[in-house]
Amino acid sequence: MGHFRAVPDTLAQARLRTIVGVGIPLDAIEGKMKLNRDKSIKDRLRVIAALEERGGENGMAIADVIRSQPDILVAIAG
């Protein structure tokens, strides 16, 4: 936004008139969390241990999500 102030007012006003807002109704939003899926099981287990050692509600929640990945469940059980 700082660079916008360097534009002469006449040019800025002309450009502002061309800006159009668009509304798009959404029924749902989907997201994807990878959470180190590209890392080895050993590395992810270390991440879980570090998050648990650090503690805190958010860290523990992320550790639980990583721990619930199918290949980690197999590694933990095996």
Side-chain angles (χ1 to χ4, degrees):
M1 199 69 171
H3 299 295
F4 184 76
R5 297 196 188 282
V7 177
D9 282 343
T10 54
L11 182 57
Q13 292 303 319
R15 289 184 177 181
L16 285 173
R17 284 191 294 273
T18 63
I19 296 174
V20 177
V22 177
I24 302 173
L26 301 175
D27 293 328
I29 295 177
E30 290 186 28
K32 186 181 239 183
M33 293 187 299
K34 291 189 174 190
L35 292 175
N36 292 319
R37 291 291 305 239
D38 60 332
K39 305 294 183 198
S40 70
I41 290 174
K42 185 177 179 179
D43 285 344
R44 285 182 277 157
L45 291 172
R46 278 190 245 160
V47 168
I48 291 168
L51 287 167
E52 290 176 339
E53 184 176 317
R54 183 182 291 177
E57 185 177 338
N58 291 336
M60 298 302 280
I62 292 171
D64 287 342
V65 172
I66 296 171
R67 188 182 295 104
S68 70
Q69 295 170 348
D71 56 343
I72 296 292
L73 290 171
V74 170
I76 292 171

